[in-house]
Amino acid sequence: LEQFDDPLVKILLAAAVISTGTAILEKEGEASFGISDFVEPLVILTILILNAIVGVWQEHNAESALEALKDLTPSTARVYRDGKVDPEFLARDIVPGDIVDIQVGDMIPADIRVLRLKTTTLGIEQMSLTGESATVRKESTPISQVDAEIQLKTNMVFAGTVCSNGYMTGVVQATGMHTEIGKVQAAVQG
């Protein structure tokens, strides 16, 4: 029903009603009505029903995509608070500036800049964000370009991606809808 709550749809519904009324008035006094007398209103109603079906289908797909994006966020992370590591810190409570430890198998809870590698290499699976099937190597060396593309940000790990090898400590740069995956989610909602 929400699909019919649109000014253009209401105008087309009014046109269908007027067309039906016109057909009835033209046939006034005749014994019977045929389907051919109501072709215009039937075509308009058919188009509006098909439009509503497509609209519902698109909304369902968008909602499914949003649910899938929400599943890309872990529930807990290892965060430094009060001078010690809290291994079960709720990911939703992470804020920019928090120091976080990431190791093999961890889902990244926020966009994090690599401060220090605790192993010789760090690999991140970024397929959920960039579509890259290969593991992306990360390092702690700062990049010179401020507005670099995601693939060029070798000193950043992104929310919703997974650590495939290595161990690191980093500082949270963005959380929630301010992360790169959050921007994708906002684009899907918009």
Side-chain angles (χ1 to χ4, degrees):
L1 292 176
E2 289 177 4
Q3 298 300 318
F4 292 99
D5 189 26
D6 180 62
L8 184 59
V9 171
K10 290 176 182 176
I11 290 170
L12 288 171
L13 282 172
V17 169
I18 291 169
S19 182
T20 302
T22 305
I24 292 171
L25 289 175
E26 286 178 359
K27 291 291 186 171
E28 191 175 321
E30 293 184 25
S32 65
F33 292 101
I35 190 92
S36 62
D37 297 325
F38 300 102
V39 171
E40 289 178 12
L42 288 174
V43 168
I44 292 171
L45 289 174
T46 302
I47 290 170
L48 290 175
I49 290 169
L50 289 174
N51 181 55
I53 290 169
V54 169
V56 168
W57 178 67
Q58 287 177 329
E59 283 183 18
H60 174 71
N61 286 345
E63 288 172 6
S64 297
L66 287 175
E67 288 302 317
L69 286 172
K70 288 178 185 174
D71 291 342
L72 293 177
T73 308
S75 58
T76 62
R78 281 179 299 287
V79 177
Y80 286 88
R81 285 284 172 97
D82 300 323
K84 58 184 174 150
V85 176
D86 182 351
E88 295 296 319
F89 192 83
L90 293 177
R92 69 173 183 258
D93 294 336
I94 292 175
V95 295
D98 277 341
I99 305 298
V100 180
D101 274 344
I102 302 293
Q103 63 187 17
V104 174
D106 286 350
M107 184 173 288
I108 311 301
D111 287 359
I112 301 170
R113 185 171 44 85
V114 179
L115 290 177
R116 184 179 58 170
L117 296 179
K118 295 183 177 183
T119 55
T120 55
T121 61
L122 177 69
I124 303 293
E125 293 291 335
Q126 293 187 165
M127 184 179 288
S128 60
L129 183 61
T130 63
E132 295 176 80
S133 59
T135 298
V136 178
R137 297 269 181 223
K138 299 293 182 170
E139 55 190 39
S140 59
T141 307
I143 59 171
S144 58
Q145 189 176 355
V146 176
D147 292 331
E149 295 178 11
I150 291 173
Q151 294 86 343
L152 299 177
K153 293 181 179 180
T154 56
N155 67 336
M156 291 286 297
V157 296
F158 302 100
T161 60
V162 177
C163 181
S164 60
N165 67 322
Y167 186 31
M168 63 156 271
T169 299
V171 61
V172 174
Q173 300 295 301
T175 60
M177 296 303 280
H178 300 288
T179 63
E180 293 297 329
I181 198 74
K183 292 173 186 173
V184 171
Q185 187 174 359
V188 169
Q189 285 176 330

